Amino acid sequence: MGSPPVKKALEMEIPSALGTDGTRVASYNPWIALYWLTSGKTIGGNKVIAEENILDRATALRLATHKGYELIKERDKGRIVKGYFADMVILSDDYFVIPEENIKNIKSKLTIVDGKVVYASQEYSSVGPKSLPVIPNWSPVKYFGGYQH
């Protein structure tokens, strides 16, 4: 299979991180990327990563959080440790225990960046910011896609 050998790169101690590639070929949703790396499958279910390159969930999550910040020399982000910035989320599901197929469906209920609430689902709307309007008003994103919610 032709996917990047991420596990081998880590074993060789090559600095690595996980992103979404959101502006080109994939979703902005980080859970899609985590699903891909931990299952070896595309969102459509096609196996594209060789079994020996599939990562465990903890390693994949580290690549999506503080390992990315380490690559860009921002070493005080991406971990829940004293002295680090308070970026965190309350999730719809427990990433570490849900069935593999459900990883791609995880949603944020509450997102905090730099100590400020930047997103709140209906459940936490009393502490969340007001939704920004979709511009232009006629944009299909206003009606389809789900990321506007």
Side-chain angles (χ1 to χ4, degrees):
M1 299 191 181
S3 292
V6 177
K7 194 172 196 177
K8 184 151 183 84
L10 293 174
E11 289 167 359
M12 296 172 66
E13 299 183 12
I14 296 172
S16 302
L18 176 66
T20 61
D21 201 28
T23 59
R24 293 186 293 276
V25 297
S27 167
Y28 289 104
N29 185 340
W31 301 107
I32 302 296
L34 286 162
Y35 169 75
W36 169 76
L37 202 52
T38 58
S39 71
K41 299 177 200 170
T42 65
I43 194 167
N46 295 321
K47 190 79 163 178
V48 294
I49 298 178
E51 201 62 39
E52 64 270 12
N53 285 317
I54 292 175
L55 296 181
D56 64 87
R57 293 180 190 195
T59 300
L61 187 59
R62 276 193 297 276
L63 291 177
T65 56
H66 78 272
K67 289 297 184 184
Y69 288 117
E70 283 180 3
L71 283 177
I72 60 172
K73 309 292 188 224
E74 291 189 38
R75 298 189 187 273
D76 56 356
K77 294 183 178 181
R79 290 183 172 182
I80 301 175
V81 175
K82 184 178 179 179
Y84 277 58
F85 288 102
D87 295 354
M88 57 186 255
V89 293
I90 296 174
L91 300 173
S92 60
D93 298 283
D94 185 338
Y95 165 70
F96 291 104
V97 300
I98 62 171
E100 180 179 89
E101 287 301 313
N102 293 356
I103 292 172
K104 59 189 171 190
N105 300 319
I106 293 174
K107 305 270 187 281
S108 173
K109 290 184 169 191
L110 183 75
T111 304
I112 300 172
V113 177
D114 288 336
K116 297 177 190 162
V117 176
V118 297
Y119 171 78
S121 67
Q122 193 79 23
E123 183 178 354
Y124 294 97
S125 61
S126 64
V127 297
K130 291 182 180 178
S131 295
L132 296 172
V134 174
I135 300 174
N137 189 48
W138 52 262
S139 173
V141 170
K142 186 173 181 177
Y143 307 100
F144 305 100
Y147 296 109
Q148 73 276 21
H149 302 293

